[in-house]
Amino acid sequence: MRALISVSDKDGVVEFAKGLAGLGFEILSTGGTYQLLKDNGVAAVEVSEYTKSPEMFEGRVKTLHPKIHGGILYKRDDSSHAAQAKEFEIGGIDLVCVNLYPFKATIARTNDFAEIIENIDIGGPAMVRSAAKNFADVLIITDILDYDEVLEKLRSNSADMGFRRSLMIKAYEHTASYDAMIANYMNERFNGGFGDKKFITGTKVFTTRYGENPHQKGALYEFENFFSQNFKALKGEASFNNTTDINGALMLATSFGEAPAVAICKHANPCGFAIKSNLFESYTEALKCDPISAYGGVVAINGTLDRELALKMHEIFIEVIIAANVTDEALEVYSDKKRTKIFTQESKFLVRSDDKFDFKHIDGGFVYQERDFIQDDEVKNAKCVTTRSASSAEFTDLEIAWKVAALTKSNCVVYVKNSSLVAIGMGMTSRVDAARAAVAKARDLGLDISGCALASEAFFPFRDSIDIANEVGVKNIVQPGGSIRDDDVIAAANEHDMAMYFTGIRHFLH
């Protein structure tokens, strides 16, 4: 039996090679892997010695040889193949262990294009694909986490077709994601990120019980190990819908740095938000905005869920809690709430990945775009277009309202008072309907929204929303501006002695 080992990620490879050698495998290897194995007492044979062909062109050509690919690819149960292998003195290679040049690490470390090009693997993907094609005869290992299982299967003679097939699938996933990463990088460098092809790849974190509905299958996939590193289940299992709702709450709670922000979301839209002096006060104020919708919702806590806060939250049913960290005492409070799920990032404050791109499936394809980031200075740099201007305290409410609006489904309007969300209308087909819906709910809940700040993620096309805002005592408004009726809207604000700011930036969320 013969194994070829050539890896960039060398974790565990010495122990794996020793295990193979103990099973009677002859070990072939290349370059740094060969040297590492030799230095650690593994009797490896260098590929160039085996093929009697030297490495050429600074190592660009070393495994691209008939004795390597022939040994991998010939079908053992085909008499014609076996005869040709014997005629050309091609010995079988029964196991291939390869992972590829560190392209991702290289582009993270340098912008030197010549160095980047040299870290595009050629021989590695060729060997992986050859071995994967002939998986019935050749074991292909591309994941260091599979080393122990492969050795166990070989020792027990249980490397059956199902196991070989699973390794084959993983191998093609490995080369496909590698080539996709290179293509995406080249398009980002030379075509502004929008090439003729766009590749979206992710690694499965877990399978959900089902998708949006019980008859649909679902799973969570991650980019760059984000969830593996920043998502831990303390209580319960995240469903498909939980993950999208968590995302909505987390995006809002992380929009204010290290502030003690608490966001309450239902169906990925905010129904409560506040920033007070501590997380307990923030949650208490956030809940006032819409306690009915908060029932069965998702709460994101930008800090620690402790016992005091847990006892307060325990008063109503909350389906999902995501917190930067959670104390054991807080977890104990929820021991009797079987349906409540608790997740943490095990950090001081909540973190987000801040992916550079965004995409959405449509029937027959997907639309792809640069991600919409809300900059911290958008309201600070906004233009006051009215006679009245906001005070510093009022300006804080404008900034909070603007970020909440940007993270809420269009059409939306957001009312904030004393750093707390007091009314919100979202996902409406007209902006004035959103304004009416928000005001009606606030009145039903007995909330005083006089003196509050109002934000709209897009311009007001007519003055009617401004007149509605006046009826409930809105004093400050922030919006992008840009309507052909801006003059009418500004005039309405001046009539009602409101301050109005134009940011010049729209934040549709569809």
Side-chain angles (χ1 to χ4, degrees):
M1 297 183 294
R2 188 174 290 112
L4 194 159
I5 303 176
S6 180
V7 294
S8 291
D9 184 348
K10 296 178 174 55
D11 285 353
V13 73
V14 171
E15 293 75 12
F16 182 56
K18 286 182 177 179
L20 291 175
L23 289 166
F25 278 85
E26 176 188 5
I27 308 296
L28 305 180
S29 194
T30 64
T33 306
Y34 166 76
Q35 193 61 51
L36 177 66
L37 297 181
K38 182 181 176 182
D39 290 346
N40 283 273
V42 178
V45 176
E46 196 164 15
V47 162
S48 58
E49 176 63 26
Y50 178 74
T51 62
K52 305 303 181 185
S53 178
E55 290 189 11
M56 294 181 283
F57 313 117
E58 299 177 300
R60 286 188 170 197
V61 176
K62 49 190 171 186
T63 58
L64 299 172
H65 193 282
K67 289 196 72 172
I68 298 300
H69 287 275
I72 296 171
L73 280 165
Y74 86 84
K75 292 185 283 187
R76 292 359 182 220
D77 60 354
D78 186 305
S79 58
S80 174
H81 282 214
Q84 288 181 67
K86 183 176 181 180
E87 177 184 357
F88 295 105
E89 298 182 337
I90 292 175
I93 295 175
D94 308 294
L95 182 150
V96 174
C97 177
V98 171
N99 54 60
L100 308 178
Y101 287 0
F103 185 81
K104 181 167 67 174
T106 303
I107 59 176
R109 175 175 50 81
T110 182
N111 198 42
D112 184 339
F113 193 62
E115 184 176 353
I116 288 168
I117 287 292
E118 290 308 315
N119 276 279
I120 296 175
D121 206 328
I122 303 300
M127 288 188 291
V128 170
R129 290 174 62 83
S130 291
K133 180 171 181 171
N134 202 24
F135 71 94
D137 294 318
V138 181
L139 286 168
I140 173 61
I141 298 96
T142 56
D143 187 344
I144 63 175
L145 298 179
D146 290 332
Y147 289 170
D148 289 344
E149 186 177 9
V150 168
L151 290 174
E152 180 184 341
K153 293 284 188 182
L154 289 170
R155 288 176 184 130
S156 60
N157 198 30
S158 59
D160 59 15
M161 193 58 66
F163 180 64
R164 289 171 175 273
R165 188 164 48 240
S166 68
L167 294 178
M168 174 268 288
I169 293 170
K170 187 175 287 191
Y172 283 125
E173 290 173 341
H174 188 58
T175 56
S177 61
Y178 188 77
D179 284 338
M181 176 171 46
I182 295 169
N184 285 344
Y185 170 80
M186 295 302 177
N187 273 321
E188 184 174 344
R189 181 160 183 153
F190 298 110
N191 293 317
F194 292 84
D196 291 340
K197 302 286 185 182
K198 175 56 63 179
F199 302 95
I200 297 169
T201 63
T203 302
K204 188 164 78 171
V205 183
F206 56 76
T207 300
T208 57
R209 287 179 60 193
Y210 49 79
E212 286 181 289
N213 300 289
H215 60 275
Q216 298 168 269
K217 294 180 180 179
L220 171 66
Y221 290 81
E222 66 180 345
F223 304 130
E224 304 296 336
N225 301 316
F226 179 76
F227 285 95
S228 297
Q229 296 173 359
N230 299 289
F231 189 80
K232 181 179 181 181
L234 298 181
K235 182 177 182 292
E237 177 186 6
S239 70
F240 184 97
N241 293 331
N242 290 159
T243 61
T244 57
D245 289 347
I246 287 170
N247 181 69
L250 190 142
M251 288 302 102
L252 183 52
T254 55
S255 292
F256 301 89
E258 298 180 357
V262 172
I264 307 174
C265 287
K266 192 69 169 286
H267 301 158
N269 272 316
C271 61
F273 180 79
I275 301 175
K276 292 297 182 179
S277 60
N278 58 61
L279 291 167
F280 185 92
E281 292 179 4
S282 295
Y283 169 76
T284 303
E285 291 301 311
L287 186 62
K288 292 178 181 178
C289 177
D290 190 354
I292 297 172
S293 295
Y295 183 90
V298 174
V299 178
I301 300 166
N302 193 35
T304 300
L305 173 62
D306 59 16
R307 185 174 186 276
E308 181 187 24
L309 179 54
L311 286 169
K312 179 64 178 174
M313 295 172 65
H314 189 274
E315 294 174 0
I316 69 167
F317 170 57
I318 294 168
E319 183 178 1
V320 176
I321 300 169
I322 175 73
N325 52 87
V326 179
T327 67
D328 292 339
E329 293 78 12
L331 201 58
E332 177 62 28
V333 168
Y334 273 95
S335 61
D336 65 331
K337 292 274 191 178
K338 293 183 178 179
R339 292 190 297 159
T340 297
K341 305 170 184 179
I342 301 176
F343 307 98
T344 182
Q345 293 185 333
E346 296 189 326
S347 56
K348 189 173 182 181
F349 300 100
L350 291 173
V351 297
R352 57 165 79 170
S353 174
D354 281 339
D355 301 313
K356 294 180 181 179
F357 58 87
D358 192 11
F359 64 94
K360 181 179 294 187
H361 170 258
I362 60 172
D363 194 33
F366 62 90
V367 284
Y368 181 92
Q369 65 176 352
E370 295 175 340
R371 181 170 169 175
D372 182 26
F373 287 96
I374 305 101
Q375 304 301 323
D376 289 335
D377 59 0
E378 288 180 8
V379 176
K380 178 182 177 182
N381 294 334
K383 179 183 178 182
C384 183
V385 295
T386 50
T387 303
R388 182 181 184 276
S389 58
S391 68
S392 59
E394 292 172 329
F395 212 78
T396 298
D397 286 347
L398 284 170
E399 291 177 322
I400 292 174
W402 180 245
K403 286 188 176 181
V404 174
L407 291 164
T408 302
K409 293 285 187 180
S410 303
N411 289 317
C412 77
V413 290
V414 172
Y415 300 76
V416 170
K417 181 178 180 179
N418 298 327
S419 300
S420 299
L421 182 65
V422 289
I424 185 168
M426 81 287 284
M428 309 297 282
T429 53
S430 77
R431 204 159 300 281
V432 69
D433 285 346
R436 289 193 181 109
V439 168
K441 180 165 282 190
R443 284 173 173 164
D444 289 345
L445 293 169
L447 296 175
D448 177 17
I449 59 178
S450 61
C452 73
L454 168 63
S456 171
E457 92 289 1
F459 63 66
F460 290 107
F462 302 97
R463 64 170 287 163
D464 46 8
S465 295
I466 310 304
D467 294 331
I468 293 171
N470 176 63
E471 293 174 7
V472 295
V474 170
K475 300 305 294 181
N476 305 282
I477 297 175
V478 60
Q479 59 139 319
S483 168
I484 59 173
R485 297 182 183 86
D486 274 348
D487 289 344
D488 294 343
V489 173
I490 293 169
N494 279 324
E495 286 176 26
H496 301 313
D497 193 30
M498 295 176 179
M500 181 179 287
Y501 291 83
F502 283 4
T503 64
I505 303 169
R506 189 185 77 181
H507 289 292
F508 270 168
L509 180 61
H510 286 174

